[in-house]
Amino acid sequence: QVQLVESGGGLVQAGGSLRLSCAASGSIFRIDAMGWYRQAPGKQRDLVATITSGGTTTYADSLKGRFTISRDNTKNTVYLQMNSLKPEDTAVYYCNADAQAMKFTRTLNYWGQGTQVTVSS
């Protein structure tokens, strides 16, 4: 089983920055793509960014240029650097990963518990 634990959320003023981290732990044979999603109150969960094990990234179009995803494969950790934050970025941010717990087992999709990001105006 793979666990994902996010950290780094909090309250920040508009224009500020935050860096989220998500560490994978447990039984891990291999982690493929990792990513961040967010869910604002009353809205669906939306893609923020993803990154493959080789470092290829994708972003929600509206967030390009302000958010940067990266990962450290030696630490099984993915990061999300968020700059020029806006009140509309307020949401619970969730970490996501495709991971294989043991050799010869299926790759499964895992979610973290989420971390709250609140941007005040």
Side-chain angles (χ1 to χ4, degrees):
Q1 190 74 359
V2 177
Q3 293 84 42
L4 302 176
V5 178
E6 302 100 334
S7 61
L11 174 65
V12 63
Q13 288 189 331
S17 298
L18 280 176
R19 188 191 194 210
L20 305 182
S21 299
C22 171
S25 62
S27 175
I28 300 172
F29 175 71
R30 187 183 71 222
I31 301 177
D32 295 326
M34 302 185 80
W36 291 95
Y37 292 73
R38 68 184 185 182
Q39 188 168 20
K43 296 188 177 181
Q44 67 181 20
R45 190 173 298 188
D46 291 326
L47 169 72
V48 174
T50 63
I51 184 168
T52 67
S53 57
T56 300
T57 58
T58 60
Y59 293 92
D61 287 342
S62 63
L63 301 177
K64 288 179 180 178
R66 291 196 300 123
F67 288 17
T68 303
I69 189 171
S70 61
R71 67 190 281 176
D72 184 337
N73 291 331
T74 65
K75 297 180 180 179
N76 292 328
T77 300
V78 62
Y79 305 97
L80 184 68
Q81 178 66 43
M82 306 184 293
N83 298 327
S84 303
L85 283 162
K86 305 174 182 179
E88 51 263 44
D89 294 319
T90 295
V92 178
Y93 284 70
Y94 295 92
C95 179
N96 180 268
D98 292 325
Q100 190 176 2
M102 292 185 292
K103 195 174 182 180
F104 305 123
T105 61
R106 294 171 55 193
T107 297
L108 300 176
N109 187 254
Y110 295 90
W111 289 95
Q113 298 275 22
T115 185
Q116 176 71 45
V117 171
T118 302
V119 184
S120 63
S121 58

